[in-house]
Amino acid sequence: MDDVQAMLRLAFQTDNRVTYPISASGSGGIEAAVLNPLEAGDEAIVCVNGFFSERMAVIAERTPAKIHRLEAPYGTTVDPEDVRRAGKGRKIKFVGLAHGETSTGVIQNIDLYRQVADELGALLVVDAVATLAGVPLNVDKQRIDICFSGTQKAISAPPGMSPITINARAEEVLRTRKSPVQSWYFDMTTA
């Protein structure tokens, strides 16, 4: 596992301690990335511009947190200004989006969302299922708090693993949860 973690750190371009493959498809990665930080009383923004970012919103809406969906027509990006407006005056736990939306092929500029997430004091949760190892992505440089992928796309490996990485800031959020993670299988608070 040490070798696998080292290789995944290279792929994600990160030094994050918590970096490993979850035994699940990319959808399991979505679930782990969304369920672990969210609990009752939290608010999050999910950018929806395709089938898989829609899945992130649906999973988030199954938590007790209040989810603000920001939708853009398929084939376009969600405007970071809309994210800024939606979060204004709210305590947003995370901003979630698909770096590359599999269903449309649209790539979103992570840096613009990082800037808005910083203004909101929010974590940035990124779905890189379609982009990791295929489109430039640097988790540490772009300061992505939680990033997950899948093995069956640009990594070109058999399906069934969802690499995930969590930075120290997000680890602290998980450590200070007041309630158990809704999923036993994807609970990362013990990592």
Side-chain angles (χ1 to χ4, degrees):
M1 183 58 90
D2 289 344
D3 290 343
V4 171
Q5 286 182 292
M7 288 186 283
L8 286 176
R9 286 185 184 106
L10 280 174
F12 279 117
Q13 295 293 291
T14 189
D15 291 323
N16 290 343
R17 182 186 74 81
V18 178
T19 304
Y20 61 88
I22 297 171
S23 181
S25 68
S27 294
I30 296 172
E31 190 160 318
V34 169
L35 294 183
N36 277 273
L38 290 179
E39 51 189 325
D42 290 338
E43 293 187 56
I45 295 172
V46 178
C47 301
V48 176
N49 68 330
F51 182 78
F52 290 96
S53 52
E54 166 79 15
R55 185 170 293 172
M56 182 185 284
V58 168
I59 291 169
E61 289 165 350
R62 291 182 180 197
T63 72
K66 182 176 183 180
I67 307 304
H68 305 278
R69 279 181 185 232
L70 292 181
E71 299 193 27
Y74 282 23
T76 65
T77 62
V78 173
D79 187 340
E81 280 303 314
D82 291 340
V83 176
R84 182 176 281 114
R85 280 190 289 277
K88 189 173 183 178
R90 293 187 161 101
K91 186 167 173 37
I92 300 297
K93 185 76 156 279
F94 78 66
V95 173
L97 62 112
H99 178 222
E101 175 54 63
T102 301
S103 64
T104 64
V106 170
I107 303 289
Q108 299 193 101
N109 182 339
I110 297 297
D111 300 330
L112 300 175
Y113 300 94
R114 175 74 266 170
Q115 182 180 358
V116 173
D118 284 344
E119 291 171 19
L120 299 175
L123 298 174
L124 184 62
V125 176
V126 175
D127 173 337
V129 170
T131 56
L132 185 66
V135 174
L137 180 73
N138 187 314
V139 167
D140 286 355
K141 184 177 176 187
Q142 293 176 289
R143 297 184 306 110
I144 299 169
D145 298 294
I146 301 174
C147 189
F148 62 90
S149 189
T151 51
Q152 75 278 14
K153 304 279 179 164
I155 292 176
S156 298
M161 287 191 296
S162 182
I164 192 165
T165 188
I166 298 174
N167 70 13
R169 181 174 173 223
E171 273 191 80
E172 183 61 23
V173 168
L174 302 187
R175 239 189 322 273
T176 59
R177 285 183 61 95
K178 295 173 188 74
S179 60
V181 175
Q182 283 186 277
S183 172
W184 176 85
Y185 189 77
F186 295 119
D187 182 354
M188 301 182 78
T189 61
T190 59

